[in-house]
Amino acid sequence: VPGHHDTPGIDIEKIEHRDSDFSEIAYTGRERELMRSLNEDINRSTTIFWAVKEAACKAGGTGLRKVDHIEIESVQLDSGTA
């Protein structure tokens, strides 16, 4: 949620392979388990999770300094919730 003087922006993330070092830093163990359980392409899942976490950090005004303080607990897909 931008402040009253901020202009919202748009980030575009390319769906691509991210190595295990990135996943260890960016995601909690429960998030990695959730991504594996989605029955989705893992590159797509990691990109979506990253975009969500990055947006939440920016909206909270912390930038990426607090990315490890945000945990995705569930995901709503077209086919249901994981």
Side-chain angles (χ1 to χ4, degrees), residues 12-62:
I12 298 173
E13 289 285 337
K14 181 178 180 182
I15 296 175
E16 60 188 1
H17 173 75
R18 289 171 169 83
D19 62 27
S20 59
D21 290 341
F22 175 84
S23 292
E24 289 292 323
I25 293 167
Y27 309 116
T28 66
R30 291 187 341 185
E31 287 171 326
R32 290 189 298 273
E33 287 176 25
L34 180 57
M35 280 188 268
R36 287 189 293 270
S37 75
L38 292 177
N39 200 25
E40 289 277 331
D41 174 73
I42 193 65
N43 295 328
R44 183 173 186 268
S45 296
T46 56
T47 301
I48 290 169
F49 274 54
W50 177 248
V52 169
K53 289 185 85 158
E54 184 180 27
C57 288
K58 288 179 178 180
T62 64

Side-chain angles (χ1 to χ4, degrees), residues 58-77:
K58 288 179 178 180
T62 64
L64 297 177
R65 293 183 310 273
K66 301 287 185 175
V67 72
D68 58 338
H69 288 73
I70 295 171
E71 183 172 65
I72 298 170
E73 295 180 356
S74 67
V75 177
Q76 179 70 42
L77 302 174

